[in-house]
Amino acid sequence: MKTIIRNAHIVNEGCMQIADLLMVCDRIEKIAPFISLPQPQKYMEINAEGKCLFPGVIDSHVHFREPGLTHKGDLSSESKAAVAGGVTSFMDMPNTYPNTLTQNLLEEKYSLAQQKSLANYSFFMGVNKTNLEEALKTDPETVCGITDDGLYFNDQEGILASHPEFLEHLFNRTQTLVALHSENDGIIRANYLKYYEQYGEDIPVNLHPLIRSEEACLSATQNLINLAKRHQNRLHILHISTQAEAELFDALHPPREKRITGEVCGHHLWFSDKDYDHLGNKIKWNPAIKNENDKNGLLTALLESRIDSVASDHAPHAAKEKTGSYKKALPGGPMVQHTLYLMMELYHKGLLTLEKIAEKMSHNVADIYRIRERGYIREGYHADLVLIDLYRPWQVTPNNLFYKCGWSPLSGERFTSTIMQTFVNGNLVFDRGKIANSAKGKRLLFEKIG
Ligand SMILES: [Zn+2]
């Protein structure tokens, strides 16, 4: 299969150039101002005049819910939502059911994805206090990393940020990337009890950022950074939600050379505590959406390269699981289809350049995780690409969601740009609003450490 994209504004590695791009099989064969073809009829030709071609988004934080929680989402449905949102590769978290705590369970997820996923994939190995030896068997060249993300739901003691003695053991024995959810659950519990005494189970949801407070985030992140520095470990802190935490990170090295990197999620750059009044539990996330200062401070930290990457933390729940009292409504929401759109809107508001979007959602993610031959538009690299019409407005409605759960906290939102086409390994998988192809994605591979 051969495809040529003509006259695209190619957004890549800090600049934009108008060029043709030729894909042959799964690779980018050539990029040049004009590519002449000996037998043009043998190629699919796309006129991309006036449109922007980005490297496919690599979303390093999703919960696609398979196996075990497929009433919320599955690898087929959520990977469709991913490619509709310009995401060509994803990394999935271990709080599926059963939790991904053995190498066998981990490999089972890879087999499922091979059969079902339209996007490229990697799966994190889960780690908790019971499976250290098993987690240490993880192969860093075929698995993106080790994490505790989401595992605290099943075990009060699960969040590793509150167990420095365990982390000492883990950090002592691995150079593999460890990605951690960073909140202090002791502080959260005390805050919760204080408001529970006042309100019972019907705590107003706008108190969520005071329960899962700045202090809870800051103290955990401070401790994790100190610990990783002592051990010279490869630590990636997930979904940073406060300005105070962002200030703990430095911009002294490019992401590839940093030992400690940080991620921010689209929703923490988009919503603030003002939105609880009209969206309620729909924007209940862990860590919580904080205030305007935090939202602005996170964007500043991203632009100053203290925070390195943007992810979705796509975590769908059935609509009914998001209703009821504050205590009952589950944290998390579906975001993978719209996180690139949120960043594009920040571009239209003059807050972010197109080049920065490619850097934070593709290049840096490839560098942080040392992904092989993806994340950049380069000859010889895999052809993972997204073609965007900057000025083609549309509105989020239940009809244009690909999520199995069928709802979005962004319903009704109007976006200025439209994702026209998404290519995964040279296959046109998403084309003007529809899934175009059932070709499956590939397993991500990683460079050797050191
Ligand atoms: Zn998560």
Side-chain angles (χ1 to χ4, degrees):
M1 194 193 45
K2 298 172 180 182
T3 306
I4 184 149
I5 299 178
R6 296 263 188 220
N7 289 316
H9 289 71
I10 298 180
V11 181
N12 188 52
E13 298 185 64
C15 57
M16 176 144 58
Q17 57 157 331
I18 298 177
D20 293 354
L21 182 145
L22 175 65
M23 289 175 247
V24 177
C25 299
D26 62 334
R27 302 278 172 161
I28 298 168
E29 172 103 353
K30 193 171 181 187
I31 304 162
F34 178 76
I35 299 173
S36 67
L37 301 172
Q39 292 171 295
Q41 70 280 8
K42 290 198 171 167
Y43 296 78
M44 175 166 79
E45 181 164 332
I46 293 170
N47 174 9
E49 203 174 329
K51 301 192 179 74
C52 287
L53 189 67
F54 281 75
V57 169
I58 306 173
D59 191 340
S60 55
H61 189 160
V62 305
H63 302 260
F64 280 180
R65 306 304 197 193
E66 187 165 357
L69 299 165
T70 52
H71 66 288
K72 299 173 194 275
D74 61 56
L75 286 160
S76 172
S77 60
E78 306 314 282
S79 70
K80 286 178 185 164
V83 296
V87 174
T88 53
S89 300
F90 64 83
M91 302 179 204
D92 184 82
M93 292 299 177
N95 62 330
T96 40
Y97 192 76
N99 291 166
T100 317
L101 293 171
T102 68
Q103 295 295 330
N104 281 344
L105 288 166
L106 181 62
E107 285 308 316
E108 278 172 30
K109 289 176 88 169
Y110 282 100
S111 327
L112 284 169
Q114 192 182 7
Q115 295 157 39
K116 302 179 80 171
S117 177
L118 296 190
N120 306 310
Y121 46 85
S122 194
F123 293 90
F124 280 94
M125 177 64 184
V127 62
N128 68 16
K129 283 166 69 189
T130 69
N131 78 330
L132 177 62
E133 295 306 321
E134 189 72 8
L136 290 171
K137 291 179 194 161
T138 304
D139 174 8
E141 289 180 59
T142 57
V143 176
C144 52
I146 300 174
T147 188
D148 71 336
D149 190 64
L151 297 176
Y152 64 95
F153 283 110
N154 295 349
D155 174 5
Q156 277 293 318
E157 306 301 319
I159 198 157
L160 292 181
S162 302
H163 296 276
E165 67 304 323
F166 178 82
L167 284 172
E168 296 266 0
H169 290 304
L170 174 63
F171 285 177
N172 253 328
R173 294 187 55 197
T174 187
Q175 283 302 311
T176 301
L177 183 145
V178 179
L180 294 173
H181 182 124
S182 179
E183 289 185 289
N184 179 317
D185 45 10
I187 295 174
I188 293 168
R189 232 177 343 260
N191 290 338
Y192 178 77
L193 288 175
K194 185 175 89 186
Y195 289 111
Y196 184 81
E197 272 170 27
Q198 201 176 340
Y199 296 98
E201 282 207 8
D202 282 315
I203 295 171
V205 65
N206 59 8
L207 295 177
H208 190 48
L210 302 182
I211 292 171
R212 299 192 88 93
S213 62
E214 177 190 72
E215 186 199 2
C217 297
L218 182 60
S219 81
T221 299
Q222 180 75 74
N223 291 339
L224 289 178
I225 288 176
N226 291 344
L227 203 65
K229 277 189 177 157
R230 254 204 329 275
H231 291 268
Q232 277 293 301
N233 246 95
R234 188 62 196 90
L235 172 68
H236 184 60
I237 298 193
L238 302 166
H239 42 41
I240 297 161
S241 64
T242 65
Q243 177 179 16
E245 288 168 283
E247 280 168 12
L248 301 175
F249 293 79
D250 65 53
L252 299 176
H253 302 282
R256 232 184 119 77
E257 290 163 27
K258 284 187 184 183
R259 301 303 290 163
I260 298 167
T261 48
E263 160 196 290
V264 63
C265 290
H267 45 272
H268 289 118
L269 296 169
W270 185 258
F271 295 111
S272 76
D273 56 0
K274 291 178 185 160
D275 296 308
Y276 287 111
D277 285 344
H278 62 282
L279 290 167
N281 286 324
K282 283 184 180 160
I283 60 162
K284 180 184 173 188
W285 268 285
N286 296 349
I289 300 291
K290 309 289 197 303
N291 62 34
E292 285 282 323
N293 279 342
D294 291 308
K295 181 174 95 171
N296 298 333
L298 290 167
L299 182 62
T300 303
L302 189 69
L303 293 172
E304 292 177 356
S305 294
R306 282 180 284 122
I307 295 181
D308 306 287
S309 64
V310 175
S312 73
D313 193 9
H314 175 72
H317 293 292
K320 66 172 188 297
E321 295 171 321
K322 290 293 281 181
T323 57
S325 65
Y326 168 74
K327 187 166 185 233
K328 278 211 184 101
L330 295 176
M335 292 301 288
V336 74
Q337 194 181 334
H338 301 122
T339 297
L340 175 57
Y341 279 109
L342 298 184
M343 297 305 109
M344 294 301 295
E345 283 310 297
L346 297 185
Y347 159 75
H348 287 295
K349 290 178 184 179
L351 298 172
L352 200 57
T353 64
L354 298 176
E355 292 84 353
K356 277 283 167 204
I357 294 173
E359 178 188 322
K360 304 299 179 181
M361 302 190 82
S362 304
H363 309 331
N364 283 5
V365 189
D367 287 354
I368 288 167
Y369 287 89
R370 309 179 75 86
I371 300 170
R372 285 197 192 172
E373 297 169 341
R374 299 187 192 275
Y376 292 85
I377 301 182
R378 290 178 182 164
E379 291 176 359
Y381 270 48
H382 295 275
D384 296 339
L385 300 161
V386 193
L387 190 65
I388 297 182
D389 188 336
L390 286 185
Y391 299 99
R392 182 184 284 258
W394 65 289
Q395 186 174 28
V396 181
T397 68
N399 291 333
N400 50 41
L401 299 175
F402 282 88
Y403 306 135
K404 196 172 196 178
C405 68
W407 69 276
S408 163
L410 293 161
S411 239
E413 200 70 55
R414 287 171 194 280
F415 291 133
T416 314
S417 301
T418 295
I419 294 169
M420 303 302 292
Q421 275 138 342
T422 304
F423 294 85
V424 177
N425 305 309
N427 291 304
L428 176 63
V429 290
F430 176 78
D431 186 14
R432 289 161 291 179
K434 293 196 170 64
I435 299 300
N437 191 317
S438 59
K440 301 300 181 282
K442 293 183 179 176
R443 183 171 183 157
L444 299 179
L445 296 174
F446 307 89
E447 290 167 25
K448 236 190 175 89
I449 299 168

